[in-house]
């Protein structure tokens, strides 16, 4: 007898499962096939899991997922004495969980004869006579199913081993094999009812009915490069006549021969030149999409596409770039401005400002400029392309362009103390949870764009690191500890950077351990050279990684009126406007700002020329400090701006003359709304200086009240 057992055991090779004696390797049906060559042992994982006499007594990394080798061999010996109720062969290791039932089967035999295996602790198995069943509620009004909700093939309208239903909606019926295949594909995180989308109740019921749900991510998430084709964009010019000498697939980074994809479908393309688009335009729709949407004439199409009679595409058409709870930013599409200055580009963008629509009213109480501005952008009827009508409650004057420039100048000053940190002239974004919650980053970005286009001053307070991260300029410039500014943590990072020994480095790291843990930079260091990589990681985390969401919202705000896109295209032209303080006013630059308009009468021209000389001499004395007023005070008096706006003055400042009857009592007059200054014709420089100082100082005092 002993000899016969050995021969029977030798009939099966090491490749066969020791429990079911099958050589099949089908993970979906039998689980992973695992071989331990050192022990000459092979088992299917499901055969092992459902065996009645073996338990997981080891750790996960011991034996086979915690099932010890000796225990498995004992189970093989135990099951060899038991005969399968299906195939009548020895080796049946799986028994019905009902104690009074004596049926034993191999796991594969049980699957063929409607055994139900529950893949939840304690992993019980039930024979056909004792297996759990499903039933419809007594008050169910669910109509009889016509098809499987997975494969959509016809299905028998009777619940059985082969036909299951969803316990939540009772309307989704399916074949057992279909729902098992769905479970293997979707796995635990995505397996749910195909009809009602229920997950928790559905999974519990399917486990009860013997459906195996893998504890992993979905199969489509595990396939390598499964979505690789989605990373490939369409790069082909589909114009009837392609004008590119390099071919239809050639695409430059910018300019006439950059390929634009259809803004609606993305599956058609054209060179700007081939579609007769301006080199600045970024939106284009193919013929098929343009014909399928309303108002097709407003969408740029191929040059040879028929245009409806009497309609012409507008160069300044607008569309929203992002979806926000409030008004979406507006983007301007204008001719290419390559090689232009920041001032010229902003002037081109300012052509969006409509003078034919009602102005947006802004009422400023006291010094609450920032509050008034935030209230403006949060309004549901906010239109950034409408002119601003600013009124200060402390002033009796009606809204004017002069008020707008004063408002924008004060606004830029106050914005520096909102979501920014660091020294004056080199500020970075700061991380503020409340500002994120209230979307202040978007609002500030929107207001900065609004200020630049509506005639506000140059910004001049961005740090080079902030500008580089926003617009990637200059390219490939590494960030340093100095770019972090004077934060409370900078000194600790400098100690790490300046460590001269491994012991000093470890002490510096320990003193900054709390922040390093948060940054994910707390790690063992084995040599002093490790500090360079460590400092690089800390700086990257502080300036970039932790600021991703604030940067995203800030950039979305800067897209208002197309500012962000233009700065991104021409970062070199804008770097001084964002990062450098405005050039200090000089007598020469002030004199050059104003265009002199002489009277038409020849007899007064000589006297007016003398006044121009007084004016220039007065500016020189203001520059060197010999006057009670500064050049900035004079500019404010004439234009309501203390610096030249980023966009320049519109209209350009002018000088004209007044011939009073009593020159001694004649004072200059300013018209800030038109940037116009009227100078009285007086006999001497002393009278001119006295009257100018009185007029300018009076305005300065009035604004300070």
């Amino acid at each position: 007898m002993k000899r016969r057992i050995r021969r029977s055991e030798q009939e099966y090779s090491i490749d066969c499962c020791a429990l079911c004696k099958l050589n099949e390797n089908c993970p979906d049906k039998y689980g992973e096939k695992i071989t331990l060559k050192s022990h000459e042992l092979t088992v299917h994982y499901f055969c092992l899991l459902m065996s009645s006499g073996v338990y997981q007594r080891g750790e996960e990394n011991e034996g086979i997922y915690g099932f010890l080798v000796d225990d498995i061999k004992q189970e093989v010996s135990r099951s060899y004495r038991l005969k399968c109720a299906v195939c009548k062969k020895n080796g049946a290791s799986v028994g019905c969980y009902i104690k009074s039932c004596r049926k034993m089967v191999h796991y594969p035999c049980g699957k063929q004869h409607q055994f139900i295996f529950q893949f939840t602790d304690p992993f019980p198995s039930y024979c056909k006579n004792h297996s759990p069943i499903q039933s419809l509620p007594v008050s169910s009004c669910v109509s009889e199913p016509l098809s499987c909700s997975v494969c959509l093939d016809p299905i028998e309208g009777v619940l059985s081993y082969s036909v299951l239903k969803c316990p939540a909606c009772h309307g989704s019926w399916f074949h057992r094999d279909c729902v098992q295949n769905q479970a293997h594909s979707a796995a635990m995180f995505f397996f749910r009812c195909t009809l009602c989308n229920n997950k928790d109740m559905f999974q519990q019921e399917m486990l009860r009915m013997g459906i195996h749900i893998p504890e992993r991510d979905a199969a489509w998430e595990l396939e390598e490069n499964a979505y690789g084709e989605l990373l490939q964009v369409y790069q082909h010019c589909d114009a009837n006549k392609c004008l590119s000498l390099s071919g239809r697939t050639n695409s430059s980074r910018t300019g006439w021969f950059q390929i634009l994809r259809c803004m609606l479908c993305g599956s058609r393309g054209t060179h700007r030149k081939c579609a007769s688009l301006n080199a600045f335009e970024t939106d284009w729709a193919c013929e098929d999409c343009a014909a399928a949407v309303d108002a097709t004439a407003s969408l740029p199409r191929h040059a040879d596409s028929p245009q409806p009679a009497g309609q012409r595409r507008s160069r300044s058409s607008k569309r929203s770039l992002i979806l926000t709870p409030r008004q979406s930013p507006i983007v301007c599409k204008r001719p290419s401005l390559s090689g232009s200055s920041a001032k010229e580009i902003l002037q081109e963008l300012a052509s969006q400002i409509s003078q034919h629509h009602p102005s947006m009213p802004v009422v400023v109480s006291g010094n609450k400029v920032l509050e008034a501005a935030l209230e403006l952008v949060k309004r549901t009827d906010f239109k950034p392309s409408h002119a601003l009508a600013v009124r200060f409650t402390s002033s009796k004057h009606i809204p004017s362009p002069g008020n707008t420039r004063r408002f924008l100048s004060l606004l830029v000053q106050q914005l520096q103390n909102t979501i920014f940190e660091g020294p004056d002239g080199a500020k970075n974004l700061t991380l503020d949870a409340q500002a994120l919650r209230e979307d202040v980053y978007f609002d500030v970005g929107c207001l900065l764009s609004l200020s630049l286009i509506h005639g506000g001053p140059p910004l001049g307070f961005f740090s080079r690191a902030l500008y580089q991260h926003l617009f990637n300029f200059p390219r490939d410039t590494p960030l340093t500890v100095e770019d972090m500014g004077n934060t409370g943590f900078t000194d600790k990072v400098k100690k790490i950077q300046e460590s001269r020994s491994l012991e000093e480095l470890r002490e510096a790291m320990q003193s900054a351990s709390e922040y390093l843990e948060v940054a994910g930079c707390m790690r063992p260091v084995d040599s002093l050279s490790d500090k360079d990589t460590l400092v690089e990681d800390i700086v990257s985390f502080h300036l970039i990684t932790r600021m991703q969401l604030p940067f995203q919202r800030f950039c979305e705000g800067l897209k208002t009126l197309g500012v962000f896109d233009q700065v991104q295209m021409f970062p070199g032209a804008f770097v001084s406007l964002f990062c450098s303080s405005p050039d200090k006013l000089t007598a020469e630059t002030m004199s050059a700002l104003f265009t002199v308009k002489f009277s038409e009468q020849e007899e007064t021209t000589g006297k007016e020329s003398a006044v121009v000389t007084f004016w220039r001499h007065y500016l020189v004395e203001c520059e060197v400090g010999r006057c009670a007023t500064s050049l900035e005070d004079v500019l404010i008096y004439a234009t309501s701006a203390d610096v030249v706006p980023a966009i320049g003055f519109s209209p350009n400042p002018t000088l004209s003359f007044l011939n009073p009857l009593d020159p001694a009592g004649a004072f200059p007059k300013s018209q800030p709304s038109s940037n116009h200054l009227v100078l009285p014709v007086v006999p001497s420089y002393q009278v001119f200086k006295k009257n100018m100082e009185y007029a300018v100082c009076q305005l300065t005092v009035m604004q300070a009240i």
Side-chain angles (χ1 to χ4, degrees), residues 231-251:
L231 301 178
Q232 300 176 5
V233 297
Y234 191 79
Q235 287 285 92
H236 189 272
C237 176
D238 298 312
N240 291 343
K241 182 179 180 181
C242 180
L243 303 177
S244 174
L245 298 178
S246 301
R248 291 182 178 271
T249 58
N250 177 65
S251 177

Side-chain angles (χ1 to χ4, degrees), residues 353-378:
I353 306 301
S354 173
Q355 304 298 333
H356 304 293
H357 292 91
S359 299
M360 299 293 296
V362 182
V363 180
V364 182
S365 300
N367 197 36
K368 296 181 179 180
V369 173
L370 180 59
E371 290 80 354
L374 291 175
E375 182 181 347
L376 170 68
V377 297
K378 293 179 186 294

Side-chain angles (χ1 to χ4, degrees), residues 136-142 170:
L136 287 173
V138 177
S139 60
S140 174
C141 59
V142 179
H170 302 291

